[in-house]
Every structure is written in structure tokens, then in C-alpha cells.
Amino acid sequence: MPIFFNEVWLKDMSPPVMRGVVDFLDKLRNGVKPHNLPDDLKLLAGPWLSNEEAKVYFIFEIDDPTKTFEAFAERVASGLFLRRKLTLVQNWDGAREFSAFLARQST
């Protein structure tokens, strides 16, 4: 299943925002998802809070990340999140396979 590195910028680090973010991510860590997150979403690592900016990071797997749109938009509308950046990542075995593919192409 595809793995994504998720960076989420918070509205700010005020007490109400942090309370909402911590509550949401604690539930996600414990496998409790809101109704609008798909069943196949699995948190693999994190979340981590940045000490340099209002931002959290976490890694999850999901077949189709577009199915997270409603849940993310709901948190934007509620004032918790500002934006996010999803980065598709490959495990190291995939990197080795890609390296071998490139080596074959160059010969």
C-alpha cells in the first residue's frame, strides 16, 4: 500500500488549536478515525510536533489519499489546520529496485 509523509501546518499554537490537534491525532494514533477517513488509512509513525513552526508530521499508508479530502477540509474549516503537503515515499527495497532499473537502462 502507498506510504505518505504528511506535513500539516496548524492555524497557530494557541491552547484551543493545540487541544484540538492533540485530540484528533491521539485518536488517530489509537485507531479511532472520524467518520470521514477511510478504513484503509493506517498511521505508521508519528505524529511529531515541530519546535520551529506550527506544524505536525506523520506517516500513513492509504490506497487513495484523495479520500482524506473531506476530513482534512473539515479541520481547515474548524480552524485547526491551514494546509498540508503529502509526499509519496518509497521504502528502501523500492529504492534498490529503482537503482537496479536505472543501471539496466544505462547499459
Side-chain angles (χ1 to χ4, degrees), residues 6-39:
N6 195 22
E7 300 172 77
V8 178
W9 283 259
L10 310 178
K11 177 184 172 196
D12 56 44
M13 292 178 87
S14 65
V17 168
M18 288 306 300
R19 200 168 26 255
V21 168
V22 168
D23 182 51
F24 173 73
L25 292 172
D26 269 347
K27 287 179 182 171
L28 198 56
R29 285 182 64 199
N30 291 313
V32 178
K33 296 177 209 143
H35 71 282
N36 52 8
L37 277 178
D39 289 336

Side-chain angles (χ1 to χ4, degrees), residues 16-64:
V17 168
M18 288 306 300
R19 200 168 26 255
V21 168
V22 168
D23 182 51
F24 173 73
L25 292 172
D26 269 347
K27 287 179 182 171
L28 198 56
R29 285 182 64 199
N30 291 313
V32 178
K33 296 177 209 143
H35 71 282
N36 52 8
L37 277 178
D39 289 336
D40 68 338
L41 182 138
K42 181 179 177 189
L43 187 65
L44 298 178
W48 301 283
L49 178 65
S50 171
N51 67 341
E52 297 176 351
E53 56 187 321
K55 191 176 185 182
V56 294
Y57 309 90
F58 50 97
I59 299 170
F60 65 88
E61 65 180 8
I62 188 171
D63 277 329
D64 181 1

